[in-house]
Structures are given as C-alpha cells and as structure tokens.
Amino acid sequence: MVKKGEWVLIHRNVLEPSERAPQVPDDTKKVPLELWVKGYLQEDANIGDEVTVLTRTKRIEKGTLLEVNPYYKHDFGKFVPELITISDQVKEIVFGGADNE
Amino acid sequence: MSKDMSYAAVMARRPEIMKNSAGLDFSKFESGSIAFDYERMMKEAGFTIEEIQKIQSEHGVGNTPIIELRNLTALARKIAPQGKGARIFIKDEASNASGSFKARRASTAVYQAKKLGYKGVVTATSGNYGAAVASQAAMHGLKCIVVQECYDSRGVGQPEIIEKARKCEALGAEVVQLSVGPELFYTFLTILEETGYFNASLYTPYAIAGVETLGYEIAMQFREKFGKDPEVVIATNAGGGNLTGTARGLRKAGAQSKVFAASVDLSGLHMASDTQFNKKSFTTGHTGFGMPFSTWPDRSDVPRSAARPLRYIERYLTVHQGEVFYITEALASLEGLEKGPAGNTALTAAFALAQELDQDEMIVVQETEYTGAGKHIQPQLSFARENGIEIKFGDPKDEVPGKNIILPSHPSLIKANDADLVHMRKSLIKNALANYNVRPTEADLEFLAKETNSDLEFVKKAIAEL
Ligand SMILES: Cc1ncc(COP(=O)(O)O)c(C=O)c1O
C-alpha cells in the first residue's frame, strides 16, 4: 500500500497505435505513445492502480502507479577495454619513444 | 465546455497555442509569401550584445575560457604533411551554469518569459537545453516543465537522455518523459495550453540572440591574446542555433573567421523509428537533425526559426561516431579534460581539418559540454554494445550507423568529409517552394539567395532545375 502524499512515478498511454500521427514510421505506428511523470500521490493506492498525482508544477496527472520514491539507475556502464587502448596509443604517439622509458 | 483533446483537434489549435505562449507575434515579419524579414525579427525581438552580456553575467553564463589543446595539436602534427597542423583551441562552454552553451540560449529565453510576466516555462528537448532552461528558471523563480523523448517501446532509454532528466529534476524542473515519436509536439502543446506558460523554444530570436555572445567573445578573446581573429570557428550542428548565433556574434564583432559546421554521420537511421532509437550513440549534433534543419529551418516549434545555419556555413564536415569517441578519449588522455562526447563532434572535425591548414593558423572549437554518469563515452559505448552494435577497431569509413561503431585503429584514419553544400542549398530552395506552394516573387528570390548564402542566379537556376 502506498500512502497519499508519497512521491511516485506514473505511466499512461497518450496515443494508442490507431491514433498515431500519419508521418510516423511503421514500426513506431505499431506501438502507443507512452508518458511517464512523477508527482505526489493524491490517494492511498497499490502499485498497478489507476491514480492521480500532483506534479512539481502543481498539475494534475492521471496514470498507472509504477514506483514509489523512483530513483535513477544510470551509471558509467560496463568497462570498455578499447578506451585504454586508445589512451595508450595517443600517449605513445605524442610522448612515447625511447626518451620516455 | 471541455476542449477536444484529440490529436487532430490539438494540432488544429497549434497557431493559437503558439501565439499565446511565444510572447511574440511572428506575423508582423511576414511578407505573405516565402520571404520574411529575418533581420527585423532578430532586431526587434532579440537583444543587443550589451543587453545579453548583462543578463548572462548576472546568471552564471558567458565569459568562458579558451583553452589551447597543445598535445592534441601535437598529435595532429605527427600525422600531418610537413608544415601543416593548425593550432586547435576549445571554448570551454561546459563551465556555464548547467554545463553547456545552451545556458546562453536559455538565459535570454527565460529572462524574456519573466519580463513578459509568465509564471513558468515549458521546453521540448531531450538535450542540454532542458537543463539550461531548468537552471535559468530556478534563478528567476519560474516554474519549469521539460518534455523529453526518452524511451523506446521496451522502456529502454538512452543513458545520456536519462542523465539529462536527472539534471533537470535536480534543478527543480518537472520532467515529462515520452516514448519515441514526433507526437511529442502534441503533448507539448497540451501542456502549454493547460499551463499558459511561456514556450522557451530553442528557436526564438531571444534564444538565438543569447548565443551571439559566444561568437563575440571568441573574437574579443583572440584579439586580446593573439592580436587576430581565428581563421576557422567550427560548431557542432544539429538544429542550427549554435552555429547561427555564433556566426552572427562573430559578424557583430567584425570578425572574418570562416564558420564551419560539424555533425556526426548518422545517415540511414530514421529519427522517429522506435526500433532504431537506441541504435544510435549520439542524441544531438548528428546529421539526423543537422540535414533536415539546415535545409528547412521552419520545421521547428515556432512559426519562423531564428536558427538559419545555411546563411553562415562555409563548409559542412561530417565525422563518424567511432571517431568522436576516439577524440573524446584523446582529449582526456592528452589534455586532462573530460567532456561530453556530443560537444566533441566539432573537435573531431577540427583534428582532421588542422592537418589541412598551416601551423600558424588557428581553429576554434566553440564549445564543450559537461560529462557524467550516462553522458560519457564509457556508458555510451557500453550501452551500444548491449544493444547489439558491434564495436571494433578499423577504418571509420566502413562504419554503418545502427550496425557498428568503428574506432579508428590509428588517428591518421580520422577524416572529416565535406557534405555537399550546393545540394543542401538547392534542397532548401526546393523545400521552400514546396511548403509555400506559390510562384516566388522577386522578394522571395532575394530572400532565398540570403537563406542559401548564394546569389539570384543560383536561386533562379535551382528553381529552373526543379
Ligand atoms: C553540446 C551541444 N552541442 C551542439 C548542439 C547543437 O546545437 P544546435 O541544435 O543549435 O545546432 C547541442 C544541441 O543539441 C548540444 O547540446
């Protein structure tokens, strides 16, 4: 149970596939236009319920409740060994040679 | 009575919504045909350089340092023909509030919103501009909504765009995230209509005037330090505002520097495609925006765009994704500067171009952008690999956007390719005629000559060839 007043992430479809703009490529036309927004939950609810939130600019938005206290998970990714190779190569060309050993 | 919120109905209300949110009546600059009075629009709706300098200096923007990249220049000289290898400089725009040159654009746009009495600003962007508007709105105490194209239909987002969302929220903005598709504009219009906020578009005269100080500062800084203007200024180009504002600022300073555009070559990828959205490793500064916006500037979110890059571009250089990643790593390893990759597009072109120019000539890459989690070569390459893109060393000319990223196996393989500007000029003319569907007047012909930095003869010949 998520309490009224908690900070949450909601989701809804803005346009169904049948409503998409004519100029959209075929692969995009097969899927809905989706929206995600965060706000303060306006009533007690469970994950997956249709809810109302009050956003940071005090707009009302409706959608399916996805997460409470949503947070960012992006990072620096997995190690890419090629980057060290590049680093070694440019240093070697500019500063390398016997003098530097 | 509740309003009809269907796609068609909202799009039909577009002119009215745009007018109410722009704080500017574009119709007074119109001729009724293809031509409009661009310079009058810039003059009446823009700001003078002095006004902008004042606004920016009070809001953490401008006067960014110029850094000479001696070691990168040395690398270029190692592989350049004898006597070649121009000096390469960057203007460190990452030191603006919000971390990119976009702060210049936002500073004037948000200032104008405040002056006109709007309570908030809305902007449609997945890029640095969102953070820039959020930052300036925070300083002015205005509300801010950023509408972002962020995820594909699997709910997977580009790490760089997700980082931008984080930054906007960190600066107090509300972020509305959408899946792929041009109907973002529909959502944007509904929010403008609902809130009555200002449309802090990237393309108004205010926004573009805000970039003029960038070009102006380059001229002033080089005169003070070297007693002359740089030979070439290169701008990473997408929607064209970066280049347009910089070129106009250089001209206002009386500088003779040549202005070149640079974009990452993403040819073959469709920008509105759900399945191709996460196959690219650049979210801006690429040909997927650069080509359509240069050849038809008025596709933007205002009736007349103030970003009209073909008026100023003398060469348009394209580079590959793998080359930009290589140079971004080289910048960190040789110069001790870690910057975001998109801003290094022009740097990559400069590295190749330096090898054509003499050693006493100077090339300025007019911006850098901030870097961090998500918005960095490491996560971007890692994300590409997870999305099935092959990453390998080789000759970047074999790179196929969406399939592979080819890191040059040696820096001598980094090349800048000239896009066909004559063809681009002709396509602008073709697009203008197709969009207005009129017989061009004398004034239209002269306007098109200015738009394409050509002459009447070129325009007439291009029309005859259609
Ligand atoms: C760091 C950076 N460089 C260059 C550009 C390109 O600017 P413009 O869209 O004005 O051509 C952008 C904008 O997306 C950017 O964020």
Side-chain angles (χ1 to χ4, degrees):
Chain A
M1 170 85 129
V2 187
K3 286 267 176 246
K4 177 181 175 181
E6 295 223 60
W7 184 247
V8 299
L9 174 69
I10 63 165
H11 167 272
R12 73 181 154 88
N13 287 354
V14 178
L15 296 173
E16 295 304 327
S18 63
E19 298 168 314
R20 297 213 62 158
Q23 74 271 27
V24 167
D26 288 342
D27 61 339
T28 312
K29 244 180 216 158
K30 288 199 196 112
V31 295
L33 178 70
E34 301 173 75
L35 177 149
W36 294 259
V37 70
K38 294 169 187 169
Y40 296 105
L41 186 62
Q42 294 302 289
E43 61 271 323
D44 292 355
N46 290 306
I47 301 289
D49 287 353
E50 290 307 301
V51 297
T52 306
V53 300
L54 191 64
T55 69
R56 287 220 70 184
T57 64
K58 305 232 168 356
R59 292 186 316 114
I60 292 286
E61 281 275 7
K62 287 183 195 313
T64 310
L65 180 58
L66 290 188
E67 280 176 50
V68 191
N69 293 327
Y71 65 99
Y72 286 101
K73 298 155 196 95
H74 63 295
D75 56 17
F76 284 91
K78 299 208 179 89
F79 181 62
V80 178
E82 287 84 350
L83 293 175
I84 293 209
T85 308
I86 296 170
S87 180
D88 285 342
Q89 184 180 51
V90 296
K91 281 171 177 283
E92 172 62 27
I93 298 173
V94 176
F95 303 114
D99 295 353
N100 245 336
E101 297 306 316
Chain B
M1 190 193 78
S2 74
K3 281 198 169 142
D4 182 350
M5 298 308 286
S6 70
Y7 180 76
V10 171
M11 293 308 276
R13 294 201 293 278
R14 169 184 176 159
E16 180 196 329
I17 299 171
M18 295 310 275
K19 201 170 163 187
N20 293 338
S21 61
L24 176 64
D25 180 9
F26 285 85
S27 67
K28 64 182 177 183
F29 310 114
E30 291 294 341
S31 71
S33 187
I34 295 168
F36 81 105
D37 197 339
Y38 176 52
E39 287 305 333
R40 191 159 76 85
M41 177 177 91
M42 292 307 287
K43 202 161 170 201
E44 285 188 17
F47 300 87
T48 64
I49 289 276
E50 294 74 28
E51 285 168 320
I52 303 165
Q53 283 171 331
K54 184 165 187 299
I55 295 166
Q56 294 182 337
S57 70
E58 288 169 3
H59 296 94
V61 180
N63 276 317
T64 54
I66 302 255
I67 305 172
E68 179 162 12
L69 304 181
R70 292 189 179 80
N71 294 333
L72 202 66
T73 302
L75 182 66
R77 287 178 182 175
K78 291 270 186 191
I79 53 184
Q82 196 71 45
K84 300 287 175 188
R87 295 164 73 179
I88 305 169
F89 298 79
I90 48 169
K91 189 156 171 61
D92 196 15
E93 286 292 294
S95 55
N96 284 307
S98 84
S100 76
F101 87 95
K102 291 280 169 72
R104 295 184 188 262
R105 243 154 137 166
S107 68
T108 39
V110 177
Y111 177 89
Q112 186 68 9
K114 177 86 177 178
K115 193 170 117 187
L116 295 174
Y118 286 89
K119 296 274 172 273
V121 292
V122 189
T123 185
T125 166
S126 308
N128 289 312
Y129 188 59
V133 172
S135 162
Q136 292 293 314
M139 292 187 205
H140 285 282
L142 292 182
K143 292 196 169 138
C144 177
I145 303 174
V146 179
V147 186
Q148 258 198 347
E149 183 184 53
C150 189
Y151 298 111
D152 65 15
S153 60
R154 301 169 301 163
V156 176
Q158 287 261 345
E160 190 185 9
I161 300 180
I162 293 173
E163 161 54 22
K164 259 70 154 282
R166 182 208 62 81
K167 194 164 172 78
C168 291
E169 287 185 356
L171 296 168
E174 170 179 328
V175 178
V176 175
Q177 294 183 309
L178 294 168
S179 58
V180 180
E183 305 100 322
L184 177 144
F185 195 62
Y186 159 82
T187 305
F188 176 64
L189 288 175
T190 62
I191 292 174
L192 281 174
E193 193 176 42
E194 177 193 341
T195 58
Y197 290 172
F198 182 79
N199 171 12
S201 158
L202 277 158
Y203 299 101
T204 59
Y206 327 116
I208 301 306
V211 188
E212 290 180 359
T213 48
L214 206 173
Y216 197 84
E217 282 171 26
I218 290 175
M220 296 305 148
Q221 287 170 306
F222 272 77
R223 286 171 197 174
E224 195 183 307
K225 220 168 168 179
F226 305 105
K228 65 165 190 165
D229 297 325
E231 275 71 21
V232 179
V233 174
I234 308 193
T236 299
N237 189 58
N242 186 29
L243 187 136
T244 300
T246 301
R248 291 178 62 84
L250 283 164
R251 287 193 182 179
K252 284 192 176 170
Q256 300 301 312
S257 312
K258 293 192 182 103
V259 177
F260 294 176
S263 294
V264 176
D265 187 348
L266 285 191
S267 46
L269 287 181
H270 196 303
M271 293 307 132
S273 160
D274 176 55
T275 48
Q276 294 177 5
F277 183 67
N278 281 324
K279 297 273 180 200
K280 59 182 186 287
S281 292
F282 283 77
T283 57
T284 188
H286 58 67
T287 54
F289 293 143
M291 293 299 157
F293 275 89
S294 303
T295 54
W296 187 239
D298 293 324
R299 62 177 64 247
S300 88
D301 58 356
V302 287
R304 288 292 195 170
S305 175
R308 311 192 83 81
L310 269 195
R311 289 179 174 237
Y312 306 100
I313 298 176
E314 285 178 66
R315 277 175 76 180
Y316 196 139
L317 305 170
T318 67
V319 291
H320 299 101
Q321 298 182 95
E323 294 168 314
V324 182
F325 286 134
Y326 187 101
I327 286 292
T328 301
E329 177 59 41
L331 182 66
S333 293
L334 292 178
E335 301 289 348
L337 296 169
E338 222 187 353
K339 303 290 168 185
N344 290 334
T345 304
L347 179 60
T348 307
F351 179 76
L353 181 71
Q355 298 165 50
E356 289 176 24
L357 303 184
D358 293 336
Q359 296 199 348
D360 61 351
E361 296 188 283
M362 299 191 286
I363 304 176
V364 185
V365 172
Q366 48 77 278
E367 55 134 350
T368 58
E369 58 164 353
Y370 86 99
T371 185
K375 191 175 151 64
H376 183 279
I377 46 177
Q378 171 81 38
Q380 286 177 265
L381 282 168
S382 168
F383 181 78
R385 205 160 245 166
E386 276 159 31
N387 278 278
I389 306 293
E390 185 192 9
I391 298 166
K392 59 177 181 186
F393 282 107
D395 189 337
K397 77 172 179 354
D398 300 325
E399 186 174 288
V400 181
K403 292 227 154 34
N404 57 26
I405 291 175
I406 303 188
L407 302 163
S409 53
H410 190 269
S412 58
L413 294 169
I414 297 172
K415 304 281 178 216
N417 298 300
D418 272 283
D420 185 350
L421 270 180
V422 171
H423 179 79
M424 290 175 71
R425 292 182 177 122
K426 286 182 183 165
S427 27
L428 184 146
I429 293 166
K430 184 174 152 209
N431 288 335
L433 265 64
N435 271 277
Y436 283 86
N437 200 12
V438 290
R439 254 185 81 92
T441 62
E442 270 309 306
D444 288 342
L445 298 177
E446 274 166 36
F447 172 79
L448 289 171
K450 287 217 176 83
E451 285 278 280
T452 51
N453 194 14
S454 66
D455 51 31
L456 276 179
E457 202 191 328
F458 178 88
V459 174
K460 285 182 184 160
K461 202 162 149 267
I463 293 176
E465 280 173 19
L466 287 179

